[in-house]
Amino acid sequence: MKSLRERIVSDGNVLSSNILKVDSFLNHQMDPELLFEIAKEFEKRFKGTGIKKIVTIEASGIAIAIMIGFVLKVPVVFAKKKKPSTMIDFYSSSVFSFTKNTNYDICISKEFLGPEDEVLVVDDFLATGSAINGVMDLISQAQAKLIGIGIVIEKGSQNGGKILRNKGIRLESLAIVKIENNDIKFLNDD
Amino acid sequence: MKSLRERIVSDGNVLSSNILKVDSFLNHQMDPELLFEIAKEFEKRFKGTGIKKIVTIEASGIAIAIMIGFVLKVPVVFAKKKKPSTMIDFYSSSVFSFTKNTNYDICISKEFLGPEDEVLVVDDFLATGSAINGVMDLISQAQAKLIGIGIVIEKGSQNGGKILRNKGIRLESLAIVKIENNDIKFLNDD
């Protein structure tokens, strides 16, 4: 997605060979017009696949997910990192956080994910894929159908994307980035 | 907002005199079309006030905030509950959580909030107002201008809304609810 790649180049900050900061437009401050364009791009890529629900994980996936839900006219569910006291019956999965070197649980109420759901999973970033794997585990527990995964920025230097594609899962990443000598390289051009 | 009140009555669950569950359309599963309508209502109510930025707090405020940002064509910033390791220079404030009986910190990078910002603060719920007060503290530290506060559901049985209005702050709550004998009553009708 050309406009996204241009925005990453103009407003992204390379902090190290592994850290690309995009908090001025994607995951702290957010540009709603860009998110709408991103949603339209996912609509195009997943056209005809029969998506009936968008699932993401709090917090930075929510803005993208709601825009895609708005464009596709389907409901959006976000996996919670803390189970509310009012949530009685739920699916849960454990996710390992590499940045914090610890596990955390995510959960979705059984009311909002079931065998009738055909799901697109979306998130802002994909690196090792541990959060996405947690969400896929919830979908599997609910016996819902995973249509595919939509990612805004995939880190091409980590293997999360490769593992998902090798499993035969349809993964659409709008920008696949790699940092080389403090420069941002894109591994995709469509 | 009539369509919101109707949705609260049809899909909301009264769990106790103090707990109204709206997780089927507002804060776990979310209805993007309803959120768009909500955003249009806030646009109408704050017309001509010169809003230049939307600020909310993760996680359940994000979906509403991004829709309002989309309608008003302004950027959205969400206060984070955990400071990312890459965030060096930031405003922070402590918020007391009544449900968890503990304090947590919220933060916004200094890059994304400053004296030039004219801000609408939005959130899904207002009860005691502790989270909103934390966000207002960040705005005050940044010397930004608070235009007003937009809330989807205000709990009329708690005093957060009253305190804010008594301070002369412009607060627009789309539904002000009170639970009486397990029934949902609305304290506003516009």
Side-chain angles (χ1 to χ4, degrees):
Chain A
M1 188 183 164
K2 191 162 172 279
S3 60
L4 174 65
R5 288 201 303 274
E6 287 170 355
R7 188 67 174 268
I8 292 169
V9 169
S10 66
D11 292 357
N13 270 316
V14 175
L15 296 191
S16 73
S17 65
N18 205 19
I19 301 180
L20 170 67
K21 228 177 142 184
V22 289
D23 60 355
S24 66
F25 61 94
L26 191 62
N27 50 21
H28 182 24
Q29 180 166 264
M30 302 175 293
D31 175 349
E33 287 288 325
L34 177 68
L35 295 191
F36 181 71
E37 266 188 75
I38 285 171
K40 296 293 282 183
E41 177 70 21
F42 281 124
E43 178 187 38
K44 200 174 78 184
R45 292 190 184 204
F46 286 100
K47 199 180 163 96
T49 58
I51 293 161
K52 294 199 176 56
K53 193 166 273 185
I54 310 296
V55 174
T56 189
I57 187 166
E58 68 172 69
S60 46
I62 295 175
I64 300 145
I66 201 77
M67 273 302 177
I68 303 173
F70 179 63
V71 166
L72 297 183
K73 299 184 193 308
V74 298
V76 175
V77 176
F78 67 90
K80 299 206 173 212
K81 290 182 180 171
K82 278 187 184 162
K83 190 190 78 58
S85 59
T86 54
M87 194 191 286
I88 309 299
D89 216 11
F90 54 90
Y91 306 108
S92 79
S93 190
S94 182
V95 173
F96 182 72
S97 164
F98 285 87
T99 45
K100 289 167 195 122
N101 198 33
T102 177
N103 281 287
Y104 62 96
D105 289 338
I106 59 171
C107 63
I108 289 182
S109 167
K110 288 190 179 178
E111 285 178 82
F112 308 128
L113 198 59
E116 70 287 0
D117 286 317
E118 303 187 28
V119 175
L120 174 67
V121 173
V122 300
D123 210 353
D124 56 340
F125 264 97
L126 174 68
T128 64
S130 56
I132 289 289
N133 279 310
V135 175
M136 283 168 55
D137 183 23
L138 301 180
I139 289 170
S140 160
Q141 290 175 44
Q143 298 177 42
K145 184 180 171 192
L146 177 71
I147 300 272
I149 298 171
I151 296 291
V152 181
I153 302 177
E154 177 183 334
K155 291 184 172 181
S157 55
Q158 292 185 268
N159 63 357
K162 193 177 166 189
I163 292 170
L164 291 169
R165 289 186 184 94
N166 285 346
K167 283 182 183 169
I169 291 164
R170 177 157 178 195
L171 168 64
E172 295 283 347
S173 298
L174 303 190
I176 305 177
V177 302
K178 195 169 185 174
I179 312 297
E180 277 178 7
N181 305 320
N182 283 325
D183 256 7
I184 301 167
K185 304 275 181 200
F186 294 100
L187 307 182
N188 65 329
D189 56 6
D190 57 337
Chain B
M1 188 184 163
K2 191 162 173 275
S3 60
L4 174 65
R5 288 201 302 274
E6 287 171 354
R7 189 66 173 270
I8 291 169
V9 169
S10 66
D11 292 357
N13 271 314
V14 175
L15 296 192
S16 73
S17 66
N18 205 19
I19 301 180
L20 170 67
K21 229 177 141 183
V22 289
D23 61 354
S24 66
F25 60 95
L26 191 61
N27 51 22
H28 182 23
Q29 180 166 264
M30 302 175 293
D31 175 348
E33 287 287 326
L34 177 68
L35 294 191
F36 181 70
E37 266 187 77
I38 284 171
K40 296 293 283 182
E41 177 70 21
F42 281 124
E43 179 188 38
K44 199 174 78 183
R45 293 191 184 203
F46 286 100
K47 198 178 164 96
T49 57
I51 292 161
K52 297 200 173 57
K53 192 167 276 186
I54 310 295
V55 174
T56 189
I57 187 166
E58 67 171 74
S60 45
I62 294 175
I64 299 146
I66 201 77
M67 273 302 177
I68 303 173
F70 179 62
V71 165
L72 297 183
K73 299 186 194 307
V74 297
V76 175
V77 176
F78 67 92
K80 299 205 173 212
K81 289 181 180 172
K82 277 187 185 163
K83 190 191 77 60
S85 58
T86 54
M87 194 191 287
I88 309 300
D89 216 10
F90 55 90
Y91 306 107
S92 79
S93 191
S94 183
V95 173
F96 182 72
S97 164
F98 285 86
T99 46
K100 287 165 197 123
N101 197 33
T102 176
N103 282 287
Y104 62 95
D105 288 339
I106 58 171
C107 62
I108 288 181
S109 168
K110 288 190 179 179
E111 284 177 83
F112 307 128
L113 198 59
E116 70 287 359
D117 286 317
E118 303 185 30
V119 175
L120 175 67
V121 173
V122 301
D123 210 353
D124 56 341
F125 264 97
L126 174 68
T128 64
S130 56
I132 289 289
N133 278 311
V135 174
M136 283 168 54
D137 182 25
L138 301 180
I139 288 170
S140 160
Q141 290 175 44
Q143 298 176 41
K145 183 178 170 191
L146 177 70
I147 300 272
I149 299 172
I151 297 291
V152 181
I153 302 177
E154 177 183 334
K155 290 183 172 182
S157 56
Q158 291 184 266
N159 63 357
K162 195 178 164 187
I163 292 169
L164 291 169
R165 289 186 184 94
N166 284 346
K167 282 182 183 168
I169 291 165
R170 177 158 179 194
L171 168 64
E172 295 283 346
S173 298
L174 303 190
I176 306 178
V177 302
K178 195 168 184 174
I179 312 297
E180 278 179 5
N181 304 318
N182 281 325
D183 256 9
I184 301 167
K185 305 277 181 199
F186 294 99
L187 306 183
N188 65 329
D189 58 5
D190 57 336

Short mmCIF file of all heavy atoms in Angstrom, two decimals, chain B residues 136-179:
data_model
loop_
_atom_site.label_atom_id
_atom_site.label_comp_id
_atom_site.label_asym_id
_atom_site.label_seq_id
_atom_site.Cartn_x
_atom_site.Cartn_y
_atom_site.Cartn_z
N MET B 136 -7.75 15.02 31.97
CA MET B 136 -7.76 16.49 32.09
C MET B 136 -6.47 17.00 32.73
O MET B 136 -5.97 18.08 32.37
CB MET B 136 -8.97 16.95 32.90
CG MET B 136 -10.26 16.91 32.09
SD MET B 136 -11.74 17.12 33.13
CE MET B 136 -11.34 18.64 33.99
N ASP B 137 -5.91 16.23 33.64
CA ASP B 137 -4.63 16.59 34.25
C ASP B 137 -3.52 16.59 33.19
O ASP B 137 -2.69 17.52 33.13
CB ASP B 137 -4.33 15.60 35.39
CG ASP B 137 -3.03 15.94 36.13
OD1 ASP B 137 -2.64 17.12 36.11
OD2 ASP B 137 -2.43 15.02 36.72
N LEU B 138 -3.52 15.58 32.30
CA LEU B 138 -2.53 15.53 31.22
C LEU B 138 -2.67 16.76 30.32
O LEU B 138 -1.67 17.37 29.92
CB LEU B 138 -2.69 14.26 30.37
CG LEU B 138 -2.56 12.90 31.10
CD1 LEU B 138 -2.75 11.75 30.10
CD2 LEU B 138 -1.21 12.79 31.78
N ILE B 139 -3.91 17.12 30.01
CA ILE B 139 -4.18 18.27 29.13
C ILE B 139 -3.70 19.56 29.80
O ILE B 139 -3.11 20.44 29.16
CB ILE B 139 -5.69 18.33 28.80
CG1 ILE B 139 -6.02 17.18 27.84
CG2 ILE B 139 -6.09 19.68 28.19
CD1 ILE B 139 -7.50 16.96 27.61
N SER B 140 -3.93 19.64 31.09
CA SER B 140 -3.48 20.82 31.84
C SER B 140 -1.95 20.90 31.88
O SER B 140 -1.36 21.97 31.66
CB SER B 140 -4.09 20.74 33.24
OG SER B 140 -3.39 21.54 34.13
N GLN B 141 -1.28 19.77 32.12
CA GLN B 141 0.18 19.75 32.10
C GLN B 141 0.73 20.20 30.75
O GLN B 141 1.76 20.87 30.67
CB GLN B 141 0.71 18.34 32.40
CG GLN B 141 0.51 17.86 33.83
CD GLN B 141 0.94 16.40 34.00
OE1 GLN B 141 1.99 15.99 33.50
NE2 GLN B 141 0.12 15.62 34.68
N ALA B 142 0.03 19.81 29.68
CA ALA B 142 0.47 20.14 28.32
C ALA B 142 0.10 21.57 27.93
O ALA B 142 0.47 22.05 26.87
CB ALA B 142 -0.16 19.17 27.31
N GLN B 143 -0.64 22.26 28.81
CA GLN B 143 -1.16 23.60 28.54
C GLN B 143 -2.01 23.63 27.27
O GLN B 143 -2.06 24.65 26.57
CB GLN B 143 -0.03 24.62 28.48
CG GLN B 143 0.73 24.72 29.80
CD GLN B 143 1.92 25.67 29.73
OE1 GLN B 143 1.86 26.74 29.13
NE2 GLN B 143 3.02 25.26 30.33
N ALA B 144 -2.65 22.50 26.99
CA ALA B 144 -3.59 22.47 25.87
C ALA B 144 -4.92 23.04 26.35
O ALA B 144 -5.14 23.22 27.55
CB ALA B 144 -3.76 21.03 25.38
N LYS B 145 -5.81 23.34 25.39
CA LYS B 145 -7.11 23.91 25.74
C LYS B 145 -8.18 22.81 25.70
O LYS B 145 -8.32 22.12 24.69
CB LYS B 145 -7.46 25.02 24.73
CG LYS B 145 -8.76 25.73 25.06
CD LYS B 145 -9.05 26.84 24.07
CE LYS B 145 -10.46 27.38 24.26
NZ LYS B 145 -10.86 28.26 23.15
N LEU B 146 -8.90 22.67 26.79
CA LEU B 146 -9.99 21.69 26.84
C LEU B 146 -11.26 22.36 26.31
O LEU B 146 -11.80 23.28 26.92
CB LEU B 146 -10.21 21.22 28.28
CG LEU B 146 -11.39 20.25 28.48
CD1 LEU B 146 -11.09 18.90 27.86
CD2 LEU B 146 -11.72 20.10 29.96
N ILE B 147 -11.76 21.88 25.17
CA ILE B 147 -13.00 22.42 24.60
C ILE B 147 -14.21 21.82 25.31
O ILE B 147 -15.18 22.51 25.61
CB ILE B 147 -13.10 22.07 23.09
CG1 ILE B 147 -11.92 22.66 22.32
CG2 ILE B 147 -14.45 22.49 22.52
CD1 ILE B 147 -12.11 24.06 21.82
N GLY B 148 -14.15 20.53 25.56
CA GLY B 148 -15.27 19.88 26.22
C GLY B 148 -15.04 18.39 26.36
O GLY B 148 -13.97 17.88 25.99
N ILE B 149 -16.05 17.73 26.90
CA ILE B 149 -15.97 16.29 27.13
C ILE B 149 -17.21 15.64 26.52
O ILE B 149 -18.33 16.12 26.72
CB ILE B 149 -15.92 15.98 28.65
CG1 ILE B 149 -14.68 16.63 29.27
CG2 ILE B 149 -15.94 14.47 28.91
CD1 ILE B 149 -14.63 16.55 30.79
N GLY B 150 -17.00 14.56 25.78
CA GLY B 150 -18.10 13.82 25.17
C GLY B 150 -18.14 12.41 25.73
O GLY B 150 -17.16 11.67 25.65
N ILE B 151 -19.27 12.05 26.30
CA ILE B 151 -19.43 10.74 26.95
C ILE B 151 -20.60 10.01 26.30
O ILE B 151 -21.64 10.61 26.02
CB ILE B 151 -19.73 10.94 28.46
CG1 ILE B 151 -18.54 11.62 29.16
CG2 ILE B 151 -20.10 9.60 29.14
CD1 ILE B 151 -17.28 10.79 29.28
N VAL B 152 -20.45 8.73 26.06
CA VAL B 152 -21.58 7.97 25.49
C VAL B 152 -22.62 7.70 26.57
O VAL B 152 -23.77 8.05 26.43
CB VAL B 152 -21.08 6.67 24.82
CG1 VAL B 152 -22.26 5.92 24.20
CG2 VAL B 152 -20.04 6.97 23.75
N ILE B 153 -22.21 7.08 27.68
CA ILE B 153 -23.15 6.76 28.75
C ILE B 153 -22.65 7.32 30.08
O ILE B 153 -21.58 6.92 30.56
CB ILE B 153 -23.38 5.24 28.89
CG1 ILE B 153 -23.89 4.64 27.55
CG2 ILE B 153 -24.34 4.93 30.03
CD1 ILE B 153 -24.07 3.13 27.57
N GLU B 154 -23.41 8.24 30.64
CA GLU B 154 -23.08 8.77 31.97
C GLU B 154 -23.97 8.08 32.99
O GLU B 154 -25.17 7.92 32.79
CB GLU B 154 -23.35 10.28 31.99
CG GLU B 154 -23.11 10.91 33.36
CD GLU B 154 -23.46 12.41 33.40
OE1 GLU B 154 -23.41 13.07 32.34
OE2 GLU B 154 -23.80 12.90 34.50
N LYS B 155 -23.36 7.65 34.09
CA LYS B 155 -24.14 7.04 35.17
C LYS B 155 -24.68 8.15 36.07
O LYS B 155 -23.92 8.78 36.82
CB LYS B 155 -23.26 6.09 35.98
CG LYS B 155 -22.87 4.84 35.21
CD LYS B 155 -22.06 3.91 36.10
CE LYS B 155 -21.82 2.57 35.41
NZ LYS B 155 -21.07 1.64 36.29
N GLY B 156 -25.98 8.35 35.97
CA GLY B 156 -26.60 9.45 36.70
C GLY B 156 -26.61 9.27 38.20
O GLY B 156 -26.81 10.24 38.95
N SER B 157 -26.35 8.04 38.65
CA SER B 157 -26.35 7.78 40.10
C SER B 157 -25.02 8.10 40.73
O SER B 157 -24.88 8.09 41.95
CB SER B 157 -26.69 6.31 40.36
OG SER B 157 -25.78 5.49 39.65
N GLN B 158 -23.99 8.39 39.90
CA GLN B 158 -22.70 8.77 40.46
C GLN B 158 -22.42 10.22 40.12
O GLN B 158 -23.05 10.79 39.23
CB GLN B 158 -21.62 7.80 39.95
CG GLN B 158 -21.87 6.41 40.58
CD GLN B 158 -20.81 5.40 40.21
OE1 GLN B 158 -20.95 4.66 39.26
NE2 GLN B 158 -19.74 5.37 40.99
N ASN B 159 -21.49 10.82 40.85
CA ASN B 159 -21.41 12.29 40.79
C ASN B 159 -20.36 12.86 39.85
O ASN B 159 -20.13 14.07 39.85
CB ASN B 159 -21.24 12.85 42.21
CG ASN B 159 -19.93 12.38 42.82
OD1 ASN B 159 -19.20 11.59 42.19
ND2 ASN B 159 -19.62 12.85 44.02
N GLY B 160 -19.73 12.00 39.03
CA GLY B 160 -18.69 12.49 38.13
C GLY B 160 -19.17 13.60 37.21
O GLY B 160 -18.51 14.63 37.04
N GLY B 161 -20.34 13.41 36.61
CA GLY B 161 -20.88 14.40 35.68
C GLY B 161 -21.20 15.71 36.38
O GLY B 161 -20.88 16.80 35.87
N LYS B 162 -21.81 15.61 37.55
CA LYS B 162 -22.20 16.81 38.32
C LYS B 162 -20.97 17.66 38.66
O LYS B 162 -20.97 18.89 38.48
CB LYS B 162 -22.89 16.34 39.61
CG LYS B 162 -23.64 17.42 40.33
CD LYS B 162 -24.34 16.86 41.57
CE LYS B 162 -24.75 18.00 42.49
NZ LYS B 162 -25.28 17.50 43.77
N ILE B 163 -19.91 16.99 39.12
CA ILE B 163 -18.69 17.72 39.50
C ILE B 163 -18.10 18.46 38.30
O ILE B 163 -17.71 19.63 38.40
CB ILE B 163 -17.66 16.74 40.12
CG1 ILE B 163 -18.17 16.23 41.47
CG2 ILE B 163 -16.30 17.40 40.27
CD1 ILE B 163 -17.36 15.07 42.04
N LEU B 164 -18.07 17.78 37.15
CA LEU B 164 -17.50 18.42 35.95
C LEU B 164 -18.35 19.62 35.53
O LEU B 164 -17.81 20.69 35.22
CB LEU B 164 -17.41 17.41 34.80
CG LEU B 164 -16.37 16.29 34.98
CD1 LEU B 164 -16.55 15.20 33.92
CD2 LEU B 164 -14.95 16.85 34.91
N ARG B 165 -19.69 19.45 35.54
CA ARG B 165 -20.56 20.57 35.14
C ARG B 165 -20.44 21.74 36.12
O ARG B 165 -20.44 22.90 35.71
CB ARG B 165 -22.02 20.10 35.04
CG ARG B 165 -22.28 19.18 33.85
CD ARG B 165 -23.75 18.82 33.67
NE ARG B 165 -23.92 17.86 32.58
CZ ARG B 165 -23.96 16.53 32.73
NH1 ARG B 165 -23.88 16.00 33.94
NH2 ARG B 165 -24.09 15.74 31.68
N ASN B 166 -20.30 21.42 37.41
CA ASN B 166 -20.13 22.49 38.41
C ASN B 166 -18.84 23.28 38.23
O ASN B 166 -18.73 24.42 38.66
CB ASN B 166 -20.18 21.91 39.83
CG ASN B 166 -21.61 21.56 40.23
OD1 ASN B 166 -22.56 21.99 39.57
ND2 ASN B 166 -21.75 20.79 41.30
N LYS B 167 -17.87 22.63 37.59
CA LYS B 167 -16.60 23.33 37.30
C LYS B 167 -16.73 24.21 36.07
O LYS B 167 -15.77 24.87 35.66
CB LYS B 167 -15.48 22.30 37.04
CG LYS B 167 -14.89 21.66 38.29
CD LYS B 167 -13.76 20.71 37.87
CE LYS B 167 -13.18 19.99 39.08
NZ LYS B 167 -12.29 18.88 38.66
N GLY B 168 -17.90 24.16 35.40
CA GLY B 168 -18.09 24.97 34.19
C GLY B 168 -17.58 24.31 32.93
O GLY B 168 -17.48 24.95 31.88
N ILE B 169 -17.24 23.03 33.03
CA ILE B 169 -16.76 22.30 31.86
C ILE B 169 -17.94 21.87 31.00
O ILE B 169 -18.96 21.42 31.53
CB ILE B 169 -15.93 21.07 32.31
CG1 ILE B 169 -14.63 21.56 32.96
CG2 ILE B 169 -15.64 20.13 31.14
CD1 ILE B 169 -13.92 20.51 33.75
N ARG B 170 -17.79 22.02 29.69
CA ARG B 170 -18.87 21.59 28.79
C ARG B 170 -18.85 20.07 28.64
O ARG B 170 -17.93 19.51 28.04
CB ARG B 170 -18.70 22.26 27.43
CG ARG B 170 -19.74 21.77 26.49
CD ARG B 170 -19.99 22.70 25.37
NE ARG B 170 -20.99 22.14 24.49
CZ ARG B 170 -21.23 22.58 23.28
NH1 ARG B 170 -20.56 23.62 22.82
NH2 ARG B 170 -22.16 22.02 22.54
N LEU B 171 -19.84 19.44 29.21
CA LEU B 171 -19.93 17.98 29.18
C LEU B 171 -21.18 17.58 28.43
O LEU B 171 -22.29 18.01 28.77
CB LEU B 171 -19.99 17.45 30.62
CG LEU B 171 -20.39 15.98 30.82
CD1 LEU B 171 -19.35 15.05 30.19
CD2 LEU B 171 -20.54 15.67 32.31
N GLU B 172 -21.01 16.79 27.37
CA GLU B 172 -22.15 16.28 26.60
C GLU B 172 -22.20 14.76 26.77
O GLU B 172 -21.31 14.04 26.30
CB GLU B 172 -21.99 16.62 25.12
CG GLU B 172 -22.02 18.11 24.80
CD GLU B 172 -23.44 18.69 24.83
OE1 GLU B 172 -24.42 17.91 24.83
OE2 GLU B 172 -23.56 19.94 24.85
N SER B 173 -23.24 14.28 27.46
CA SER B 173 -23.43 12.84 27.63
C SER B 173 -24.64 12.43 26.80
O SER B 173 -25.72 12.98 26.96
CB SER B 173 -23.68 12.51 29.11
OG SER B 173 -22.55 12.88 29.88
N LEU B 174 -24.44 11.46 25.91
CA LEU B 174 -25.52 11.12 24.98
C LEU B 174 -26.65 10.37 25.68
O LEU B 174 -27.80 10.47 25.26
CB LEU B 174 -24.97 10.30 23.80
CG LEU B 174 -23.85 10.96 23.00
CD1 LEU B 174 -23.57 10.17 21.74
CD2 LEU B 174 -24.17 12.41 22.68
N ALA B 175 -26.32 9.61 26.71
CA ALA B 175 -27.35 8.96 27.52
C ALA B 175 -26.93 9.08 28.98
O ALA B 175 -25.80 8.76 29.33
CB ALA B 175 -27.51 7.50 27.13
N ILE B 176 -27.84 9.58 29.81
CA ILE B 176 -27.58 9.62 31.26
C ILE B 176 -28.52 8.61 31.89
O ILE B 176 -29.75 8.76 31.81
CB ILE B 176 -27.80 11.03 31.84
CG1 ILE B 176 -26.96 12.06 31.05
CG2 ILE B 176 -27.43 11.07 33.32
CD1 ILE B 176 -27.14 13.50 31.50
N VAL B 177 -27.95 7.56 32.45
CA VAL B 177 -28.78 6.43 32.90
C VAL B 177 -28.76 6.28 34.42
O VAL B 177 -27.79 6.65 35.09
CB VAL B 177 -28.32 5.09 32.27
CG1 VAL B 177 -28.34 5.15 30.76
CG2 VAL B 177 -26.96 4.67 32.78
N LYS B 178 -29.84 5.73 34.92
CA LYS B 178 -29.95 5.40 36.33
C LYS B 178 -30.72 4.09 36.41
O LYS B 178 -31.71 3.91 35.68
CB LYS B 178 -30.72 6.52 37.05
CG LYS B 178 -30.59 6.48 38.54
CD LYS B 178 -31.13 7.76 39.17
CE LYS B 178 -30.88 7.73 40.67
NZ LYS B 178 -31.24 9.00 41.31
N ILE B 179 -30.26 3.18 37.25
CA ILE B 179 -30.95 1.89 37.40
C ILE B 179 -31.88 2.01 38.61
O ILE B 179 -31.44 2.34 39.71
CB ILE B 179 -29.95 0.74 37.63
CG1 ILE B 179 -28.80 0.78 36.62
CG2 ILE B 179 -30.67 -0.61 37.60
CD1 ILE B 179 -29.17 0.60 35.19
#
